[in-house]
Amino acid sequence: MIRVNPNYSKIQANYLFAEIASRVKAYQAENPGADVIRLGIGDVTRALPAACVEALEKASREMGSDATFRGYGPDYGYAFLREAIARVDFQSRGCDISPDEIFVSDGAKCDTGNFQEIFDGAARVAVPDPVYPVYVDSNVMAGRTGAPTGDGRYAGLVYLDCNAENGFVPDLPSEPVDVAYLCFPNNPTGAVASRERLAAWVDWARATGALILFDAAYEAFIRDPDVPHSIYEIPGAKEVAVEFRSFSKTAGFTGTRCGYCVVPAECRAFDASGAPVPLQPLWKRRQSTKFNGVSYPVQRAAEAALSPEGRAQCRALVDGYLANAALVASRLEAKGFRCTGARNSPYVWFDCGADSWSFFDKLLREAQVVTTPGAGFGRGGAGFIRISAFNSRENVERALDRIDRVL
Ligand code: MLT
């Protein structure tokens, strides 16, 4: 008899954003014609940069001719893209990352969810709280946790509290941990980590034999010159950190799909005898078994996003979303809410002074504005709301006027 994976019975029935989508759908079914403004899931709304569209068109035409057609691409991504990433995203910032340490994928959600497969089933995992749910759920599915504890947490995971007191940047674990997920600029809080705080994490991982999984999907939103864009700006990080990046929020690729992870040659874990084992061959083995790469036109579009023209267009896109975020924060602060994020992030995170699902429902029903309830990101998010700046200026202004009227 075929049995299901029992770990799936531990996880919440719905992924957070699926739950929000179903509540919005139910509301719209009850209120046909309601003009709902979506500031919930961080899904971009502006068109792809022109440089990317041109590259997509050109590459699609190449696929339409026998002479230039391409079948399966190289396992870890085309050299043209891996070289552009290494040069633009890392070497230009003084990070010694080479193209063969870059693994192109269809996005950071998949990579951050999949990477745990190459660790021991008994690895002790630390996550920030609040947290992007993928880090938790993928470890629950893999059997690395016990049962839910009834407060939005799981037995066996180490939760690192992020709150106003520590600036939503987790303190180092006070118990043994083998792998820690970090995300900066943070989803959901929008907080950023200083060089000193990241250096403390790198020192911790080097001293304890742990690994850092560093999600930098929102790196393009950093405008503060002192904030590191990559964990590899911290000396010694290459041995102890894997970094995840995405073109989704940077270049408007949420529907186009392209991201990558960096697994440096010297990045290590350990075997049962305590001998170091390089992670890169394991990740290569995993990817070449389970993944057939990103389409050629999409990789050409990602390459175009890294060209001088594409970078200027991406920066203008991101600047538009950052201006929206600044407006959201200033309007909420004027109403007395304490906000985090917005400055180097598309997200505004604020203490709503109420149960966050009730507050979410109030904004949906009375203002027809979709947000994300902080409790959906874990116990540490209870009482908070996340507003995403990914929408047109006009819609953000309309949403804020409506929120003003109901709060
Ligand atoms: C979010 O809203 O947190 C993100 O869009 C989710 C994601 O990138 O998968």
Side-chain angles (χ1 to χ4, degrees):
M1 184 168 51
I2 177 70
R3 297 229 180 124
V4 296
N5 177 344
N7 297 308
Y8 276 63
S9 66
K10 298 177 192 164
I11 50 177
Q12 283 191 315
N14 272 348
Y15 180 61
L16 171 63
F17 294 105
E19 171 64 26
I20 292 171
S22 87
R23 288 193 187 211
V24 173
K25 195 170 166 205
Y27 173 77
Q28 286 183 306
E30 286 163 29
N31 301 276
D35 174 24
V36 171
I37 302 176
R38 291 166 196 272
L39 304 179
I41 189 166
D43 190 7
V44 296
T45 56
R46 303 277 312 280
L48 288 176
C52 299
V53 175
E54 280 162 31
L56 272 174
E57 284 174 351
K58 180 166 177 285
S60 300
R61 278 194 299 274
E62 286 177 46
M63 296 296 275
S65 152
D66 285 348
T68 48
F69 170 80
R70 307 206 187 200
Y72 290 123
D75 278 349
Y76 314 123
Y78 282 100
F80 61 74
L81 179 54
R82 299 171 88 195
E83 282 162 12
I85 291 168
R87 192 178 62 252
V88 174
D89 284 348
F90 296 98
Q91 292 161 7
S92 70
R93 294 191 177 278
C95 302
D96 175 26
I97 296 294
S98 66
D100 56 11
E101 295 175 310
I102 287 159
F103 297 85
V104 175
S105 74
D106 56 350
K109 180 180 186 175
C110 314
D111 284 344
T112 55
N114 292 333
F115 209 85
Q116 50 73 31
E117 285 183 24
I118 65 172
F119 305 139
D120 188 313
R124 294 162 298 186
V125 178
V127 292
D129 185 8
V131 62
Y132 179 46
V134 172
Y135 314 153
V136 173
D137 291 356
S138 54
N139 279 289
V140 177
M141 291 169 177
R144 235 173 247 116
T145 73
T149 52
D151 58 354
R153 292 187 166 187
Y154 292 90
L157 278 188
V158 174
Y159 288 90
L160 307 170
D161 291 321
C162 297
N163 45 44
E165 286 68 52
N166 58 21
F168 294 96
V169 178
D171 296 325
L172 299 176
S174 54
E175 57 192 291
V177 159
D178 301 313
V179 57
Y181 291 80
L182 295 178
C183 172
F184 291 109
N186 186 256
N187 181 13
T189 68
V192 290
S194 67
R195 198 168 297 278
E196 294 68 35
R197 297 292 282 274
L198 286 184
W201 274 97
V202 168
D203 290 347
W204 163 83
R206 295 179 67 87
T208 61
L211 185 78
I212 297 168
L213 297 181
F214 190 78
D215 184 350
Y218 297 91
E219 163 277 334
F221 291 79
I222 296 173
R223 290 290 177 271
D224 187 333
D226 297 332
V227 173
H229 288 242
S230 166
I231 190 89
Y232 304 118
E233 290 180 46
I234 310 297
K238 285 184 76 180
E239 287 93 331
V240 298
V242 170
E243 182 163 310
F244 304 95
R245 295 274 190 110
S246 170
F247 290 89
S248 284
K249 321 290 157 112
T250 311
F253 272 42
T254 53
T256 305
R257 308 305 311 151
C258 194
Y260 63 89
C261 77
V262 185
V263 189
E266 54 268 69
C267 189
R268 89 300 177 253
F270 299 88
D271 67 15
S273 73
V277 178
L279 282 177
Q280 200 188 78
L282 273 66
W283 185 243
K284 284 182 163 171
R285 190 69 180 82
R286 191 266 172 214
Q287 289 299 80
S288 55
T289 301
K290 296 195 178 183
F291 185 58
N292 253 340
V294 176
S295 75
Y296 171 69
V298 168
Q299 292 196 54
R300 279 295 186 199
E303 178 196 27
L306 296 167
S307 67
E309 193 191 16
R311 285 166 65 199
Q313 292 164 359
C314 290
R315 191 172 172 97
L317 268 184
V318 168
D319 279 346
Y321 293 131
L322 279 169
N324 288 348
L327 180 68
V328 171
S330 73
R331 295 273 295 266
L332 289 170
E333 279 163 358
K335 293 191 85 66
F337 292 105
R338 261 174 60 191
C339 298
T340 309
R343 209 174 129 68
N344 296 293
S345 160
Y347 297 128
V348 182
W349 176 254
F350 66 99
D351 184 340
C352 67
D355 168 74
S356 46
W357 277 107
S358 310
F359 202 89
F360 164 87
D361 283 331
K362 178 181 171 71
L363 292 181
L364 175 60
R365 293 186 172 275
E366 296 177 22
Q368 291 79 49
V369 174
V370 182
T371 57
T372 307
F377 297 103
R379 187 173 94 183
F384 286 84
I385 289 283
R386 189 193 78 175
I387 292 191
S388 149
F390 291 115
N391 213 313
S392 65
R393 180 68 168 199
E394 188 199 350
N395 278 345
V396 169
E397 286 175 358
R398 287 169 61 231
L400 289 169
D401 289 345
R402 292 186 195 174
I403 290 173
D404 264 346
R405 284 197 289 273
V406 302
L407 293 185

